[in-house]
Amino acid sequence: MQSSANPKSQIPNPQSRRVIVAIGGGIAAYKVCELVSTLFKSGVEVRVILTKSAQEFVTPLTLATLSRHQAYTDDYFCQPIYFRPLHIELGEWADLIVIAPLTANTLAKLAYGMADNLLTNTVLASTCPVLLAPAMNTDMWEQVAVQRNWRQLLTDKRFHGIETGSGLLACDRIGAGRMAEPAEICVYIQSLLHTQGKRDLAGKQILISAGGTQEYLDPVRFIGNPSTGKMGLGLAQAALHRGAKVILVHCPASWDVPLGVEGIEVVSADQMQHVMLERLANADITVMSAAVADIKPQEYSTEKLPKRSLPENLPLAPVPDIVAELGKRKQPHQSLIGFAAQTGDIITPAREKLQRKQLDAIVANPIDKTDSGFGSDNNQAVFLDKQGREVEIPACSKLEMAHYLFDFLVGNW
């Protein structure tokens, strides 16, 4: 983890947000309508390119309406109304190109640098990152030639691939080849717009804890907190999109572990401590974002206690101090990041925790602010590290907060 000579580092200005969504010819094209609509509503400038085959599934008029801008097809490719070639204009305009669904045909063309339509010419005329969301029949996806083209294309640092899911496909086959859902693609887009395609965590292993532990009194009652684990989810997504290998140790949650992330579900603090200590040795950066309970019932009943049998005074016992134990065991080459959720003065207790638990950095976040902290999709915080840096992060999404934290840790500011 690098330090900065300037303890008052400021977060960078927001990046430009101009995205080309290029649609290939597959049934998954209908899902891209939701993606385009979501991007526009989030403030992203969107331009849409449709291949000839894509128009068999969705119409240019639909995409033009959703993007609030003309949708481009090969019919526009060589029209003389443009003072410069359209593919050059689009390629220079874009901050990011997303190809969804990516068909086997377009994949093969891109792998070998072929350009015979507006989509492929625009890719070759651009220098921005390209996000690929493949979709095809399982047998097609698993063909040796297709997998060779996929691996070959991803050796180019411009190209970022989002894994296919498994499930019931349009051909009634159950297997791999399902295009990632629009929400997952949208998250990856937000990441790439922030990082501009940098993979500054490539080769790193990131260990993250998430959610609120549950300390059970009996099979139906527990001591817990309102944490949903969304901050840990954002950290896992950001680290994955920056090239890291990610292990996410999480409590029960309403969200799914992202494709490409190793998820390990736990319930109690004891279980979380066991897994975190077991995985610590191979982690380059450990981020303890979970809200671990401070206490647990002293005794556990394997059967539900009748209401009349509940004790008036519940005997309590402490739970393991996971982050303190991690701080004792981490090696000099490893970084350990903690979180401090506070009300009122958030800086003083966070700075004390930073020193006492041998952390390299800490995220102090208020839980008494509107639309911030537990259960919210957004967060705000102050980052502090042992070198004395202190950076305030205004309210933003938890994914953005995660990226700002990794920027802070890897010295991008």
Side-chain angles (χ1 to χ4, degrees):
M1 185 167 65
Q2 302 179 18
S3 63
S4 169
N6 179 10
K8 297 296 183 182
S9 299
Q10 299 296 316
I11 63 172
N13 292 326
Q15 302 292 335
S16 176
R17 292 155 58 85
R18 298 180 298 194
V19 176
I20 291 175
V21 177
I23 305 175
I27 186 60
Y30 81 91
K31 292 184 178 181
V32 184
C33 296
E34 179 184 343
L35 174 64
V36 171
S37 178
T38 301
L39 290 174
F40 176 81
K41 290 175 182 177
S42 69
V44 174
E45 290 185 74
V46 185
R47 302 291 182 267
V48 179
I49 296 174
L50 297 96
T51 64
K52 182 178 180 181
S53 297
Q55 295 172 68
E56 299 295 323
F57 298 94
V58 289
T59 68
L61 177 58
T62 298
L63 276 304
T65 303
L66 294 173
S67 66
R68 281 39 165 209
H69 195 277
Q70 180 182 43
Y72 298 105
T73 67
D74 287 346
D75 293 337
Y76 294 94
F77 195 3
C78 298
Q79 287 189 5
I81 59 172
Y82 298 98
F83 295 103
R84 301 178 71 213
L86 178 58
H87 63 291
I88 303 297
E89 290 279 4
L90 289 173
E92 293 178 353
W93 175 85
D95 297 311
L96 174 67
I97 297 173
V98 181
I99 305 178
L102 173 70
T103 63
N105 186 45
T106 298
L107 170 60
K109 292 177 182 179
L110 294 175
Y112 289 94
M114 297 173 62
D116 64 351
N117 59 13
L118 179 58
L119 188 163
T120 50
N121 273 272
T122 300
V123 171
L124 291 187
S126 65
T127 58
C128 64
V130 181
L131 176 61
L132 307 169
M136 62 194 77
N137 165 269
T138 302
D139 290 329
M140 295 175 66
W141 175 242
E142 293 178 349
Q143 287 291 328
V144 172
V146 171
Q147 288 299 306
R148 181 188 63 231
N149 290 341
W150 179 245
R151 290 191 299 271
Q152 177 179 322
L153 192 55
L154 294 182
T155 60
D156 185 333
K157 293 182 179 180
R158 282 190 65 200
F159 292 92
H160 301 255
I162 185 166
E163 291 190 20
T164 63
S166 295
L168 178 63
L169 307 181
C171 58
D172 290 331
R173 176 73 182 272
I174 297 176
R178 184 185 182 92
M179 190 181 80
E181 295 302 314
E184 191 172 0
I185 298 173
C186 195
V187 170
Y188 212 138
I189 289 171
Q190 299 295 339
S191 285
L192 291 176
L193 288 173
H194 181 99
T195 64
Q196 299 179 325
K198 293 192 299 291
R199 290 187 176 93
D200 49 9
L201 294 179
K204 302 291 186 182
Q205 182 162 298
I206 313 296
L207 176 62
I208 300 166
S209 69
T213 60
Q214 300 173 359
E215 309 300 330
Y216 277 82
L217 170 64
D218 63 19
V220 298
R221 301 181 181 95
F222 64 85
I223 296 174
N225 58 69
S227 175
T228 58
K230 291 180 181 178
M231 189 67 245
L233 173 63
L235 287 162
Q237 292 167 327
L240 177 70
H241 300 160
R242 296 172 85 128
K245 178 182 178 182
V246 183
I247 298 96
L248 180 60
V249 183
H250 65 95
C251 297
S254 60
W255 39 262
D256 295 325
V257 175
L259 292 172
V261 170
E262 180 185 354
I264 304 173
E265 184 171 316
V266 297
V267 176
S268 68
D270 287 317
Q271 292 172 354
M272 179 171 284
Q273 176 176 253
H274 174 76
V275 177
M276 294 297 289
L277 293 179
E278 183 180 61
R279 293 303 189 101
L280 175 65
N282 294 324
D284 296 288
I285 300 174
T286 298
V287 187
M288 193 70 190
S289 71
V292 181
D294 296 306
I295 52 176
K296 65 180 179 180
Q298 197 170 73
E299 296 182 358
Y300 173 73
S301 172
T302 57
E303 296 183 356
K304 180 185 176 182
L305 295 171
K307 187 175 182 179
R308 63 180 179 276
S309 299
L310 293 175
E312 291 185 7
N313 297 304
L314 181 64
L316 299 173
V319 302
D321 190 334
I322 302 174
V323 72
E325 189 62 31
L326 292 169
K328 292 176 185 177
R329 298 194 186 192
K330 75 178 181 72
Q331 299 301 307
H333 69 279
Q334 296 177 305
S335 295
L336 176 61
I337 318 304
F339 271 66
Q342 298 286 346
T343 59
D345 174 18
I346 66 173
I347 302 297
T348 303
R351 187 177 286 117
E352 187 273 333
K353 183 176 180 180
L354 172 71
Q355 299 298 326
R356 178 168 48 88
K357 301 198 177 183
Q358 303 179 59
L359 303 175
D360 295 284
I362 193 166
V363 178
N365 63 295
I367 56 174
D368 54 355
K369 302 290 185 182
T370 302
D371 195 24
S372 179
F374 292 146
S376 172
D377 292 329
N378 299 314
N379 210 349
Q380 53 187 294
V382 177
F383 299 159
L384 304 98
D385 69 7
K386 64 182 182 182
Q387 285 81 23
R389 289 189 299 168
E390 184 176 315
V391 178
E392 183 175 356
I393 308 297
C396 61
S397 73
K398 289 183 174 177
L399 177 69
E400 290 176 294
M401 181 68 69
H403 278 296
Y404 285 136
L405 178 59
F406 288 125
D407 290 341
F408 183 75
L409 298 178
V410 302
N412 281 348
W413 296 349

